[in-house]
């Protein structure tokens, strides 16, 4: 059977997973009466809740005697490491661009990686049935992007197709309507070359591992494209590191091929060029080479861009520690973080001198937030520091900081406040213009550290209507200090349970993060102060009762519902001297130093 390996790449929310749903449905993967779910490739709990793709996943369909292996990739910049890895095991890609939004920062990022790998993309202008779609403008924008990135003449000669992923149709000409995705299937089969690895079918087995996951029955599953030879169950193989050193030897216990949404065992073996998952190895990880015993050379692995944001993950040492989670020891936290870094090459874990805290570096706040949320659901208790940028040292010894390309779509009336706020945060305006429907598109170059904690303020300034997209661009010399949070916090000065009467009296001081009857402790942040300084308060103070009749009626205590920050909001909100306490049931904010006297002493010393 003919074979094609293709990846679908795009900016976040441009419709990759929805399009894959329709490709699966129209290729006959599902039975006529089979129950299907929307965004079937987003199988992870957090992917379904957040509505985004976090992990790259493979599937395959059969179209006219050709098996097409399709890889659905994440669109969010924080998960760009997944895209960089999987582009090495495909021979072509479909670049999806929204017919209304056009070229966005992540579009540029994924296209740069694809062109560098020598792939010839197919441009699919998606969502052409949207009210303000302008496919001709988007087509010209994409041609300009190809030229700006430095595409070869062969890559510039790319085919384009118009589609509506949600409605399930594609056409090469908008004047000739279609009701199926057959034109897209035909274009993939004709434009994407067959894997050149098929010529190596008679050579010894060799495969580069790109993805890793754990199966409760089969153990470690290593996914990649077979570069040469054949993978047969029971065959002895070994794993080589990048520098060619032998990591382990073992046998292939199972070869699993991707067939629709399922992985099916292949008893007779998988041929060169096919994308498969192999079970049987215990130590091999991402970027390692699996090969026959007689081979000693490792396959070259695609280099991954370095992390730009880091934070400290430590043992939870608050007075309420150990009451909600069952994984609280530093060695258990360490093992879990190292396991994550092994599977996700975009994350880097280092131990701090204190030994009970670990420095975790990644691409952005969302990626680190997803990791902490996963650990929280597994029963871990952690304390998290404020994210910091990862600096680099220049050739002359100067400090360099990461700069991001930021694209903001916002209603015309809010452009002034957005530009004013970001200019104060050392951002440089690159371009600005109308994007249709009463909206303005603002393009800026902005230091990564100035965007930490800005998302909530941005949504407030734009009344929830603004959309901010960002992607790492390059390093530049340090731009000086940036003003942090403008308001202080309300800090509890004792341990106990909060009283409604006390919170009612404190409401005039600011916004509460806790409700009545909740456990609190000295040094825990219970609200946001309306002024710029921190204030120690007593949230446990109850109304003093007497046996003397009062002529007036007692005041009815009606509390405003507290503002409970989500995990990402909490991580972005805290300052350098604060922590987020994360447990399976609660997210609390606290000061690093709980005792107010010691806090004041530390401030004086600083």
């Amino acid at each position: 059977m003919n074979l094609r390996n293709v990846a679908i790449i795009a900016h976040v929310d441009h419709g990759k997973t929805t399009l894959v749903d329709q490709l699966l449905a129209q290729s006959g993967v599902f039975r006529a009466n089979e129950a299907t779910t929307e965004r079937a490739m987003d199988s992870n709990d957090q992917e379904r809740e957040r509505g985004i793709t976090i992990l790259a996943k493979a599937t395959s369909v059969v179209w006219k005697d050709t098996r097409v292996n399709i890889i659905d990739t994440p669109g969010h910049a924080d998960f760009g490491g997944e895209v960089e890895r999987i582009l090495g095991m495909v021979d072509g890609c479909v670049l999806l661009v929204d017919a209304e939004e056009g070229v966005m920062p992540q579009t540029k990022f994924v296209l740069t990686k694809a062109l560098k790998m020598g792939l010839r993309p197919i441009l699919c202008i998606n969502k052409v049935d949207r009210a303000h779609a302008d496919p001709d403008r988007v087509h010209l924008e994409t041609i300009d992007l190809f030229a700006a990135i430095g595409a070869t003449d062969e890559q510039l000669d790319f085919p384009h197709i118009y589609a509506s992923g949600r409605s399930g149709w594609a056409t090469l000409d908008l004047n000739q309507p279609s009701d199926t995705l057959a034109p897209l299937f035909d274009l993939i089969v004709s434009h994407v070359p067959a894997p050149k690895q098929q010529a190596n079918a008679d050579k010894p087995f060799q495969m580069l591992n790109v993805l890793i996951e754990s199966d409760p029955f089969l153990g470690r599953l290593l996914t990649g494209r077979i570069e040469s030879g054949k993978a047969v169950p029971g065959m002895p193989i070994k794993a080589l590191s990048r520098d060619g050193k032998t990591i382990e030897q073992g046998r292939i216990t199972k070869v699993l091929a991707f067939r629709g949404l399922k992985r099916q065992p292949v008893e007779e073996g998988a041929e060169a060029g096919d994308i498969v998952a192999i079970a049987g190895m215990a130590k091999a990880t991402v970027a390692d080479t699996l090969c026959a015993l007689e081979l000693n050379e490792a396959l070259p692995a695609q280099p991954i861009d370095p992390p730009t944001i880091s934070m400290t993950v430590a043992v939870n040492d608050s007075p309420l520690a150990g009451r909600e989670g069952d994984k609280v020891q530093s060695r258990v936290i360490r093992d879990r973080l190292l396991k994550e870094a092994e599977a996700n090459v975009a994350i880097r874990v280092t131990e701090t001198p204190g030994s009970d805290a670990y420095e975790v570096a990644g691409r952005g706040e969302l990626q680190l937030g997803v990791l902490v949320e996963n650990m929280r659901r597994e029963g871990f208790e952690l304390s998290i520091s404020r994210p910091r940028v990862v600096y680099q040292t220049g050739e002359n010894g100067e400090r360099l900081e990461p700069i991001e390309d930021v694209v903001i779509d916002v209603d015309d009336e809010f452009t002034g406040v957005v530009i004013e706020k970001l200019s104060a945060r050392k951002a440089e305006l690159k371009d600005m213009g109308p994007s249709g429907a009463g909206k303005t598109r603002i393009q800026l170059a902005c230091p990564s550290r100035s965007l930490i904690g800005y998302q909530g303020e941005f949504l407030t300034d734009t009344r929830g209507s603004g959309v901010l997209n960002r992607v790492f661009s390059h390093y530049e010399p340090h731009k000086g200090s940036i003003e942090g949070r403008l308001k202080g916090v309300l800090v509890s000065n004792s341990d106990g349970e909060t009283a409604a009467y006390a919170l009612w009296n404190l409401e005039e001081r600011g916004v509460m993060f806790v409700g009545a009857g909740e456990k609190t402790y000295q040094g825990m942040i219970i609200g946001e102060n309306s002024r710029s300084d921190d204030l120690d308060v007593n949230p446990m103070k109850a109304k003093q009762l007497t046996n003397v009749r009062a002529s007036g009626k007692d005041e009815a205590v009606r509390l405003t519902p507290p503002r409970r920050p989500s995990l990402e909001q909490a991580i972005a909100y805290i300052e350098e001297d604060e922590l987020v306490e994360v447990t399976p049931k609660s997210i609390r904010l606290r000061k690093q130093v709980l005792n107010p006297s010691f806090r004041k002493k530390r401030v004086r010393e600083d």
Side-chain angles (χ1 to χ4, degrees), residues 543-554:
K543 185 178 181 183
Q544 297 301 313
L545 301 177
T546 72
N547 59 354
V548 179
R549 284 194 177 192
S551 58
K553 188 180 170 187
D554 279 351

Side-chain angles (χ1 to χ4, degrees), residues 208 289 298-302:
L208 180 68
T289 301
L299 292 165
Q302 182 72 8

Side-chain angles (χ1 to χ4, degrees), residues 561-606:
R563 187 178 84 199
R564 300 191 188 275
S566 67
L567 180 60
E568 275 87 22
Q569 289 168 342
I571 291 172
Y573 181 81
I574 57 174
E575 288 291 351
E576 290 294 336
D577 65 333
E578 295 163 2
L579 298 171
V580 180
E581 179 188 346
V582 180
T583 74
K585 296 179 183 175
S586 311
I587 295 170
R588 305 184 187 97
L589 308 183
R590 52 164 283 195
K591 289 288 185 182
Q592 273 186 359
V593 180
L594 299 179
N595 191 309
S597 304
F598 293 164
R599 277 205 305 275
K600 288 167 186 168
K601 182 182 177 186
R602 181 177 282 194
V603 169
R604 282 200 302 272
E605 287 172 353
D606 288 346

Side-chain angles (χ1 to χ4, degrees), residues 209-279:
N209 179 34
V210 176
L211 301 172
I212 181 172
E213 59 186 301
S214 182
D215 185 277
F217 304 105
L218 299 174
R220 185 174 290 213
L221 288 179
L222 308 173
T223 303
R225 178 174 60 181
I226 301 174
E227 296 294 321
S228 64
K230 192 173 183 180
V232 182
M235 187 172 82
I237 58 169
K238 65 180 179 182
L240 301 175
S241 61
R242 283 188 185 186
D243 52 6
K245 291 180 181 172
T246 302
I247 300 168
E248 64 170 332
Q249 288 190 12
R251 284 183 182 276
I252 298 176
T253 55
K254 274 272 196 261
V255 178
L256 301 171
F258 297 91
R259 301 291 180 256
L261 294 177
K262 301 181 179 71
R263 278 192 294 239
Q264 293 180 356
V266 183
E267 298 303 332
E268 68 276 8
E271 303 284 349
D274 203 357
I275 296 172
V276 295
I278 286 178

Side-chain angles (χ1 to χ4, degrees), residues 89-256:
M89 63 179 186
V90 295
D91 307 294
C93 62
V94 178
L95 176 69
L96 235 64
V97 185
D98 191 306
E100 185 178 326
E101 289 188 355
V103 171
M104 299 294 277
Q106 187 70 0
T107 312
K108 180 181 176 183
F109 171 81
V110 294
L111 182 61
T112 304
K113 297 292 179 187
L115 295 182
K116 197 182 288 183
M117 298 286 291
L119 302 179
R120 292 176 58 208
I122 296 169
L123 172 63
C124 179
I125 301 174
N126 195 26
K127 304 187 184 182
V128 291
D129 50 356
R130 288 183 73 171
H132 301 283
D134 189 351
D136 294 334
R137 170 183 61 83
V138 171
H139 188 201
L140 292 173
E141 276 182 14
T142 313
I143 293 172
D144 293 340
L145 177 63
F146 270 77
I149 290 173
T152 63
D153 292 342
E154 190 181 29
Q155 288 171 330
L156 273 170
D157 186 23
F158 60 88
H160 67 281
I161 190 167
Y162 306 98
S164 169
R166 183 175 289 278
S167 303
W169 58 263
T171 178
L172 294 166
D173 185 354
L174 284 174
N175 297 321
Q176 297 177 357
S178 164
D179 55 1
T180 69
L181 288 169
L184 178 58
F185 275 119
D186 293 336
L187 188 58
I188 290 172
V189 172
S190 62
H191 183 75
V192 176
K196 56 182 182 293
Q197 287 78 7
Q198 288 180 322
N200 303 329
D202 299 328
K203 295 182 180 178
F205 168 71
Q206 204 173 21
M207 179 182 110
L208 180 68
N209 179 34
V210 176
L211 301 172
I212 181 172
E213 59 186 301
S214 182
D215 185 277
F217 304 105
L218 299 174
R220 185 174 290 213
L221 288 179
L222 308 173
T223 303
R225 178 174 60 181
I226 301 174
E227 296 294 321
S228 64
K230 192 173 183 180
V232 182
M235 187 172 82
I237 58 169
K238 65 180 179 182
L240 301 175
S241 61
R242 283 188 185 186
D243 52 6
K245 291 180 181 172
T246 302
I247 300 168
E248 64 170 332
Q249 288 190 12
R251 284 183 182 276
I252 298 176
T253 55
K254 274 272 196 261
V255 178
L256 301 171

Side-chain angles (χ1 to χ4, degrees), residues 510-567:
V511 180
M512 293 295 129
F513 295 159
V514 297
E518 295 185 22
K519 285 186 171 61
T520 184
Y521 53 84
Q522 186 181 56
M524 179 174 153
I525 296 170
I526 62 161
E528 182 180 75
N529 195 2
S530 55
R531 301 191 177 184
S532 59
D533 56 337
D534 295 346
L535 185 65
D536 288 303
V537 297
N538 181 6
M540 274 75 69
K541 183 180 178 184
K543 185 178 181 183
Q544 297 301 313
L545 301 177
T546 72
N547 59 354
V548 179
R549 284 194 177 192
S551 58
K553 188 180 170 187
D554 279 351
E555 300 130 327
V557 174
R558 284 198 183 91
L559 294 177
T560 307
R563 187 178 84 199
R564 300 191 188 275
S566 67
L567 180 60

